[in-house]
Amino acid sequence: MITLISDIDGTLTGNSFGLKKFNDFMKKFREQFFLIYATGRNYNDYNKILNQEGIILPEAFIINAGADIYIKKSGVYLLEYSWHKIIDNNWDEEKIKQLLSNVNGIKLQEYIYKYKISYYVDEFKIKEIETDIFKILKENNIKAKVIFSSGIYLDILPENCDKAKAAIYLINKLNLQKDLTIVAGDSENDMDLFLNFSNGIIVANANENLKNKFVNGTFYISKTTGAEGVLEGIDYYLQKLQ
């Protein structure tokens, strides 16, 4: 069985024709794929976009950029609480928010969550912001994962928490095969997936920073956008993996 781990925004969305083809393909060959979504969205926003776009439901999903994992059991998605025990490591989000409150050029996002602290970023001050944040975290001995994406977003998570680590946790727990796993994404917050898996699909509309990072790599860069690009990549890997 092939495991497909795909981002949602910009990776499955943005091409309605391609999404219909993706849904039809997955329905037809469902027994051959274990489908996992990995997104930076929170639980409510995740469900909202699946309903709005009509995206086929997965076997499991990773949300909040890796902070939460849900697995489908008897038709119901259950939160994997044991994952929180792994990533917590005395994580103190209130302390981090307080320490970063005076950093110039960032604004705390409306959604507040324990394991994912998110900011809007002034794209013209990214280098300065990055320097300030890493300096503050280091001075206060705080180990964290810092992810800038699309030039305007910033996520701060526990050090051992990201989409890839959550995905590997799922693969190990469910006895899936890592070498038969395909990942798909379009922006910097998918970077860790490509750094940890050998089979990857970068859709045509992907962020240039992501494309440039792997332009000389072994990953498949599709010629089409969104879900159509994901399907294009699946077709490429089916010829290699089977």
Side-chain angles (χ1 to χ4, degrees), residues 2-160:
I2 291 174
T3 300
L4 175 64
I5 304 173
S6 179
D7 174 50
I8 297 176
D9 293 278
T11 304
L12 291 178
T13 63
N15 182 335
S16 56
F17 171 74
L19 181 56
K20 183 182 185 306
K21 286 175 62 178
F22 176 84
N23 285 342
D24 291 344
F25 176 88
M26 280 298 162
K27 289 173 184 175
K28 183 176 181 180
F29 298 103
R30 197 58 188 257
E31 292 184 359
Q32 298 179 33
F33 288 87
F34 191 93
L35 183 58
I36 300 171
Y37 296 144
T39 176
R41 286 176 175 255
N42 61 49
Y43 186 84
N44 289 334
D45 285 346
Y46 162 82
N47 283 298
K48 183 178 180 181
I49 193 168
L50 257 63
N51 290 329
Q52 285 182 340
E53 299 286 340
I55 303 172
I56 192 170
L57 296 177
E59 274 68 54
F61 59 87
I62 298 162
I63 58 173
N64 286 313
D68 288 335
I69 298 172
Y70 284 80
I71 303 173
K72 192 175 183 179
K73 298 177 182 178
S74 301
V76 178
Y77 293 103
L78 301 178
L79 179 63
E80 193 69 10
Y81 288 104
S82 58
W83 175 240
H84 288 167
K85 295 178 182 179
I86 293 172
I87 67 173
D88 189 280
N89 195 27
N90 298 315
W91 180 252
D92 189 342
E93 77 280 8
E94 291 301 328
K95 179 180 179 180
I96 295 171
K97 285 191 290 185
Q98 181 60 40
L99 288 170
L100 301 184
S101 60
N102 292 321
V103 173
N104 187 30
I106 65 173
K107 179 184 177 183
L108 197 63
Q109 292 187 21
E110 298 81 3
Y111 173 71
I112 306 298
Y113 184 61
K114 179 176 175 61
Y115 298 112
K116 176 175 172 278
I117 309 167
S118 299
Y119 296 88
Y120 298 111
V121 175
D122 183 338
E123 61 182 316
F124 300 106
K125 297 180 180 179
I126 285 183
K127 290 186 178 179
E128 177 186 335
I129 291 167
E130 186 175 15
T131 299
D132 290 346
I133 287 176
F134 278 109
K135 182 174 183 290
I136 291 169
L137 293 176
K138 184 177 181 179
E139 288 176 347
N140 289 274
N141 196 31
I142 294 173
K143 296 179 179 180
K145 182 90 175 186
V146 179
I147 304 172
F148 288 90
S149 59
S150 301
I152 54 173
Y153 301 116
L154 164 64
D155 291 326
I156 299 177
L157 306 107
E159 181 186 32
N160 56 347

Side-chain angles (χ1 to χ4, degrees), residues 2 182 220 232-242:
I2 291 174
I182 304 169
Y220 186 82
E232 187 185 317
I234 290 173
D235 182 63
Y236 168 80
Y237 281 111
L238 285 178
Q239 298 175 51
K240 291 183 61 178
L241 300 178
Q242 293 185 337

